[in-house]
Amino acid sequence: MPQYRDNLNVLRRAFPQPVSDQEHDAWFVFSVLRALDRVDAMKSQRPILGEPQEIDFSKATAACVPDEMSTVELVCRNLVDHLAGMFIWGHPRSQVNVINPPCIPGILGTLLPAIYNPNLCSEEASRGVALAEAEAISMTARLMGYDPNLSGGIFTFGGTGTLLYAIRLGIEKAVPGAMQNGILGNMPVVVCSDQAHYANKTAASWLGLGANSVVKIPTAPNNEIRTCLLESELRRLLKEGRRIACIVATMGTTDAFGLDHLEKIRELRDELVHEFSLDYVPHLHADAVIGWAWSVFRDYDFTQNPLQFPDRTLRALAGANRRIRQLNMADSIGVDYHKTGFAPYVSSAFFVRDARDLKMLTRDQSTTPYLFQSGDYNPGKFTLETSRSGCGPMSALGALQLLGKSGLRTLLGHLVTMAETLRNRLTAQPAISVMNPENFGPVTLFRVYPDDVDTFEMPKLEQTDARYAAQLHRFNDYNRQVFQAMHAEALRGDGVVISMTDRFRETDYGQPVVALKSYIMSPFSDEQYVQAVVDSVERARKQVAGVFK
Ligand SMILES: *Cc1c(COP(=O)(O)O)cnc(C)c1O
């Protein structure tokens, strides 16, 4: 037999068998099991896999494709080794960021398409997995108050992708024909709050508008856009003859879960269309990649409170619902199932209230002669991507089916309860000031101060009075040092991994305010780990006191 045939026989074993072969299936499953076993051996009390280690990227430059074939076993080992040092987001000692631990059906939703490799480009290439996309879209649309018979949506590559879609659609509304002709004349603008995600700028620059075309409106202390300033800015832009490609309402800011007043923004937009007799309606997008999941409380009975949440939790959930229930007033919505839907990366979808909007993005059929020969469901006619993975929709569907409204309410309610408990405990500490005490979400921002500081006064003075700039910078530094000490302790397995934000907001005189940040996302979080944060801050303060000047 020629050598290549020998090789081929070996390699065929490394693929799932096309025709039922239960023995081989068992071996395939066993490979997965062995990988999981190896990962399990890396678990400890610490919220990371294996030992904390510096990653040596110089090793990566030496990498090359091996001359010879390897085996499934050896490669499996190598792949598992790459997980060393990963944070375990689902660990109760992990409160790092808005990164959810995926549930098992969410994981299966990624595994199954990885085996059968559907391509959501067309119905032909994805069959029932295309249906999974349509189902996940309808379920979520209905949850958010859209009519699934009129609305539309598609999965895309992250929250950033949802903003790219929204702004692109808005450009087409403000400058009809731009898909063909490009943008001629005056650059249209994107308007959002100064707490909106930087992905707005990413999308604007990649779309050729330029990051400078993103106009930022100041926010109130609770991190929501100041609608009166939005109004005056929109008026100014319209008077100057600028076209408005997109107004982005942030429904759950990344660092502080701030929620814009979407209803007011919508009213304002409609008024201005009338007043300025605009020949287009500026597109209104809700960046709800974080906040969307709170839609499960749209029809929660807050009076009866059947899930028996504590009072403070109930108030926080109602507070978030008050804004999130306005989601259906937006022309489009961005959703990340991988942020607050307990699905793995990447699982994001872009929704439009009027499905006809997506048609504006359709490319000329003559450019895709080899595609879309059959079937009704051909999102590839308008999606930015050509090949599109089935993992996003299958994971979202898996997670949504497992949790249902009740499960999502339970998980979000628990996370908020834990965050409320943390805010309470931190507030009781004289050396700590909680920076988002009125917050409704699972994130807590706080600043820590040395012993002699009046923490009732200082945060306000730092925020408003430029004469306190020196103190602000000094305490920014202090917080960085406290963070370092806490982080080192957490990696040893005693504390809790939290994170730090270099600029959770700016002072009135334009300086960055550093804050420590706890983002509770683990279903395994509990009171003792909340107390562990408070204790760890205290130990870090003692440690830093020796060296801080
Ligand atoms: C995370 C985030 C984004 C970007 O989403 P990705 O899924 O990370 O691309 C956009 N907007 C907000 C408010 C976010 O928090």
Side-chain angles (χ1 to χ4, degrees):
M1 215 190 307
Q3 175 64 41
Y4 93 88
R5 292 292 310 189
D6 277 347
N7 287 356
L8 190 60
N9 282 336
V10 174
L11 287 177
R12 280 179 173 167
R13 305 281 304 154
F15 287 77
Q17 300 302 290
V19 175
S20 172
D21 175 345
Q22 294 197 329
E23 207 175 316
H24 190 276
D25 271 0
W27 179 78
F28 176 24
V29 171
F30 192 67
S31 307
V32 176
L33 198 67
R34 213 160 20 200
L36 291 183
D37 258 349
R38 285 184 72 84
V39 182
D40 196 63
M42 296 161 107
K43 289 182 181 171
S44 65
Q45 280 308 302
R46 288 194 296 251
I48 56 170
L49 292 171
E51 299 294 321
Q53 49 186 297
E54 287 293 319
I55 311 266
D56 179 8
F57 283 96
S58 65
K59 269 202 274 182
T61 25
C64 53
V65 177
D67 282 327
E68 296 305 325
M69 308 185 316
S70 184
T71 63
V72 172
E73 287 82 358
L74 285 172
V75 175
C76 171
R77 238 180 255 188
N78 182 279
L79 291 179
V80 170
D81 287 347
H82 281 79
L83 292 178
M86 264 299 295
F87 285 113
I88 303 169
W89 311 122
H91 199 290
R93 290 186 184 278
S94 172
Q95 304 176 3
V96 186
N97 218 326
V98 54
I99 303 180
N100 63 199
C103 62
I104 292 171
I107 296 166
L108 287 174
T110 294
L111 181 64
L112 293 173
I115 302 174
Y116 288 99
N117 221 19
N119 185 344
L120 287 175
C121 176
S122 68
E123 186 182 324
E124 281 168 310
S126 53
R127 314 300 306 168
V129 177
L131 187 64
E133 174 169 48
E135 283 172 353
I137 291 286
S138 293
M139 286 162 111
T140 314
R142 185 173 275 118
L143 199 65
M144 299 188 298
Y146 273 177
D147 177 351
N149 295 307
L150 303 176
S151 64
I154 32 98
F155 277 72
T156 186
F157 59 92
T160 304
T162 65
L163 280 161
L164 199 72
Y165 269 98
I167 297 173
R168 186 63 198 80
L169 201 55
I171 292 173
E172 206 55 26
K173 290 183 176 179
V175 186
M179 282 299 273
Q180 279 300 322
N181 308 319
I183 300 167
L184 307 167
N186 230 337
M187 267 307 158
V189 292
V190 174
V191 184
C192 59
S193 85
D194 63 11
Q195 290 290 314
H197 197 270
Y198 67 79
N200 284 283
K201 285 202 164 171
T202 309
S205 42
W206 282 69
L207 287 168
L209 297 180
N212 292 341
S213 299
V214 177
V215 178
K216 300 212 151 187
I217 310 296
T219 42
N222 67 357
N223 296 297
E224 72 173 83
I225 196 167
R226 290 183 193 265
T227 37
C228 53
L229 296 181
L230 173 66
E231 174 167 3
S232 47
E233 188 61 19
L234 287 174
R235 271 177 200 287
R236 190 185 67 78
L237 289 163
L238 290 170
K239 275 190 195 131
E240 274 182 14
R242 300 297 293 268
R243 293 196 157 245
I244 293 161
C246 197
I247 303 168
V248 178
T250 307
M251 305 305 282
T253 60
T254 317
D255 266 351
F257 202 70
L259 299 156
D260 287 349
H261 198 320
L262 192 52
E263 183 174 20
K264 243 194 221 166
I265 298 174
R266 163 81 185 252
E267 278 169 17
L268 175 61
R269 193 264 321 251
D270 293 347
E271 259 170 49
L272 292 174
V273 168
H274 185 71
E275 185 182 324
F276 285 80
S277 307
L278 299 179
D279 56 3
Y280 69 105
V281 180
H283 189 77
L284 174 56
H285 177 70
D287 182 0
V289 298
I290 292 181
W292 71 275
W294 272 256
S295 298
V296 293
F297 294 104
R298 267 178 86 82
D299 55 357
Y300 185 66
D301 185 341
F302 283 96
T303 320
Q304 295 291 325
N305 186 22
L307 289 173
Q308 302 173 323
F309 292 121
D311 293 342
R312 283 183 65 99
T313 302
L314 200 62
R315 183 161 170 74
L317 295 175
N321 178 50
R322 175 168 150 261
R323 290 289 161 79
I324 292 295
R325 56 175 298 103
Q326 303 170 348
L327 272 183
N328 58 356
M329 301 193 169
D331 299 321
S332 63
I333 309 174
V335 165
D336 275 356
Y337 301 92
H338 63 227
K339 278 212 176 124
T340 47
F342 302 93
Y345 289 121
V346 167
S347 184
S348 303
F350 174 69
F351 294 80
V352 283
R353 190 180 48 220
D354 183 344
R356 288 171 302 184
D357 274 4
L358 291 173
K359 290 234 162 59
M360 279 189 241
L361 306 178
T362 307
R363 64 188 122 254
D364 186 354
Q365 175 94 52
S366 65
T367 59
T368 55
Y370 66 100
L371 287 171
F372 319 125
Q373 300 304 340
S374 74
D376 301 328
Y377 185 79
N378 289 309
K381 286 181 181 174
F382 58 82
T383 55
L384 168 60
E385 303 97 322
T386 303
S387 295
R388 225 158 33 93
S389 163
C391 295
M394 288 281 274
S395 297
L397 188 63
L400 290 173
Q401 284 188 344
L402 173 80
L403 299 173
K405 282 192 205 171
S406 185
L408 261 179
R409 285 171 183 159
T410 297
L411 286 177
L412 297 176
H414 178 64
L415 303 182
V416 167
T417 305
M418 290 300 109
E420 286 284 349
T421 309
L422 177 62
R423 283 194 277 272
N424 255 347
R425 303 243 171 114
L426 291 175
T427 307
Q429 299 293 312
I432 298 175
S433 184
V434 173
M435 307 309 281
N436 62 340
E438 300 296 306
N439 195 264
F440 300 134
V443 56
T444 305
L445 293 158
F446 58 99
R447 263 167 91 75
V448 184
Y449 293 91
D451 275 340
D452 47 356
V453 176
D454 178 352
T455 56
F456 290 87
E457 279 297 317
M458 188 51 73
K460 210 182 312 157
L461 294 171
E462 286 174 330
Q463 173 65 32
T464 55
D465 191 340
R467 285 172 302 178
Y468 284 83
Q471 273 98 327
L472 172 84
H473 292 300
R474 183 164 168 265
F475 295 139
N476 277 352
D477 219 39
Y478 179 79
N479 276 272
R480 287 195 189 94
Q481 291 183 30
V482 168
F483 171 73
Q484 295 302 343
M486 288 180 72
H487 195 70
E489 181 181 76
L491 293 185
R492 291 194 299 270
D494 299 326
V496 176
V497 197
I498 60 168
S499 55
M500 191 190 78
T501 168
D502 254 326
R503 178 189 295 260
F504 94 90
R505 60 181 297 120
E506 279 187 359
T507 61
D508 300 355
Y509 47 95
Q511 294 301 306
V513 185
V514 171
L516 303 187
K517 174 164 106 174
S518 148
Y519 221 123
I520 302 185
M521 290 301 295
S522 168
F524 299 95
S525 54
D526 240 319
E527 306 230 336
Q528 77 215 72
Y529 305 106
V530 166
Q531 185 58 41
V533 176
V534 182
D535 297 342
S536 176
V537 171
E538 211 32 55
R539 284 193 295 271
R541 281 183 73 248
K542 290 217 174 74
Q543 194 184 326
V544 170
V547 289
F548 186 74
K549 290 173 284 301

